[in-house]
Amino acid sequence: MTEPSLDWRSPLPLGFRWPKGVRAAACFTFDVDAESPVLFEHPEAADWLDVMSHQAYGPRTGVPRILRILERRNLRATFFVPGYTAERWPAVIRAIRDAGHEIGHHGYLHEGARTATDEATEEARLLRGLDALDRVAGVRPVGYRAPMWELSYRLPALLARHGFLYDSGLMDADHPYRLATGPEPGAASIVELPAHWSLDDWEPYNYLPGITGSGVIASPTDVLARWSLELDALVAEGGLFVLTNHPFVSGRASRAVALEALIERAQATDGLWIATAAEIAAHVATLHLDPVVHVPPPLQGAG
Ligand SMILES: [Zn+2]
């Protein structure tokens, strides 16, 4: 692998620029997981009403509240929807679509890539998710977010082959970049919109006994402060702020208040472009960026 030379004096990657008048970008994203991640990891939980009700809070209560916030703030967001969620909560997904928000792909049953041992399994999951979003909402997403942000080295090529414009979830940059689908020269590429666990609401807030979380639930005041620090710092660096929230998590009342305060802060920031992930990816696709090639590190001789 040829490593490009390092220009460490500029925070912006070589060739990267935002649209005229823009100094940084922000994208508010919502992963409408509902029951799917719990059912994938713990199928027995389908029989546990308490757990299913905890997850149903998302489509039943969280999504409507978030849609009201986004309407109040005149903001279009990106909702990544597992196919299973679309089939189980079709009216909710259509309401998201009808409110003008972007709908992206988020697996079928929120399958982590580490559970797929071959490309055929990954492709079947991708196609099943596409089929569900099409049947339920007539949507053909251009964006993909891997469940649990688990991405295999082979998935970018599958995404390119099936017409996706971007992925959002790798964690090696503050700016979007062109993601090569393989190491060979001239390989196809898609756009990557990097994200990070620190801008995800699952870790600070989520607790389901025996399923996820430590039981230590953060205050929305603290979470808002943390996210505001990262927003301001990424704006100063000319980067991309991708916030990942889950309606069953951040749709809860005081957390939603904190989210709206963060949106207000972003909207009051000079030169910050707040857009859907697809809009940001479409801009990046117009830039002439050298593709970033990811290859597994060699283990031979290591350790
Ligand atoms: Zn998810």
Side-chain angles (χ1 to χ4, degrees):
M1 175 171 109
T2 316
E3 191 185 5
S5 64
L6 182 67
D7 175 12
W8 52 270
R9 292 191 191 278
S10 168
L12 287 186
L14 188 67
F16 186 86
R17 63 179 185 278
W18 291 113
K20 204 169 163 36
V22 169
R23 62 176 173 138
C27 181
F28 290 85
T29 70
F30 299 91
D31 295 359
V32 194
D33 290 354
E35 298 92 343
S36 63
V38 175
L39 293 179
F40 183 68
E41 298 278 342
H42 303 272
E44 69 278 12
D47 292 331
W48 302 344
L49 174 58
D50 52 318
V51 171
M52 291 298 99
S53 80
H54 180 270
Q55 299 308 112
Y57 186 90
R60 216 182 268 288
T61 308
V63 169
R65 179 173 287 133
I66 288 164
L67 290 179
R68 292 194 296 274
I69 290 173
L70 296 174
E71 184 177 63
R72 266 201 301 279
R73 303 309 313 174
N74 193 27
L75 184 71
R76 286 172 58 241
T78 298
F79 289 73
F80 292 101
V81 181
Y84 183 87
T85 298
E87 288 173 353
R88 185 160 163 78
W89 302 93
V92 174
I93 304 314
R94 290 181 199 126
I96 293 169
R97 175 200 65 191
D98 293 346
H101 302 292
E102 180 194 357
I103 292 181
H105 194 298
H106 195 43
Y108 177 74
L109 191 61
H110 208 272
E111 306 93 340
R114 309 223 213 298
T115 61
T117 52
D118 55 37
E119 182 175 308
T121 304
E122 285 207 84
E123 188 167 32
R125 291 170 173 176
L126 197 65
L127 292 175
R128 197 172 179 196
L130 280 175
D131 178 61
L133 293 177
D134 182 27
R135 272 186 294 103
V136 169
V139 167
R140 182 21 172 121
V142 298
Y144 178 79
R145 171 168 287 158
M148 267 92 74
W149 280 326
E150 286 183 17
L151 211 72
S152 67
Y153 281 92
R154 61 184 165 237
L155 196 72
L158 274 175
L159 293 176
R161 194 184 311 155
H162 289 287
F164 284 84
L165 172 63
Y166 74 89
D167 167 72
S168 176
L170 293 181
M171 303 196 180
D172 54 334
D174 294 329
H175 298 81
Y177 61 86
R178 188 166 282 286
L179 168 62
T181 60
E184 60 284 3
S189 63
I190 57 172
V191 170
E192 173 59 33
L193 306 177
H196 190 249
W197 291 110
S198 62
L199 292 175
D200 187 319
D201 61 355
W202 189 295
E203 287 61 43
Y205 285 146
N206 219 357
Y207 176 55
L208 257 180
I211 292 177
T212 192
S214 66
V216 179
I217 296 175
S219 158
T221 303
D222 295 339
V223 173
L224 174 60
R226 181 189 308 172
W227 290 347
S228 298
L229 282 170
E230 189 67 7
L231 173 67
D232 294 354
L234 283 172
V235 168
E237 292 283 306
L240 171 65
F241 175 87
V242 176
L243 188 72
T244 298
N245 281 347
H246 300 77
F248 79 89
V249 180
S250 280
R252 293 202 171 258
S254 64
R255 298 169 183 175
V257 170
L259 171 63
E260 186 164 6
L262 184 70
I263 291 172
E264 288 184 56
R265 182 187 193 89
Q267 290 181 321
T269 301
D270 268 351
L272 179 61
W273 179 35
I274 308 174
T276 64
E279 289 167 336
I280 293 169
H283 163 71
V284 177
T286 67
L287 304 176
H288 299 287
L289 300 171
D290 287 338
V292 172
V293 178
H294 291 293
V295 290
L299 282 174
Q300 197 178 20

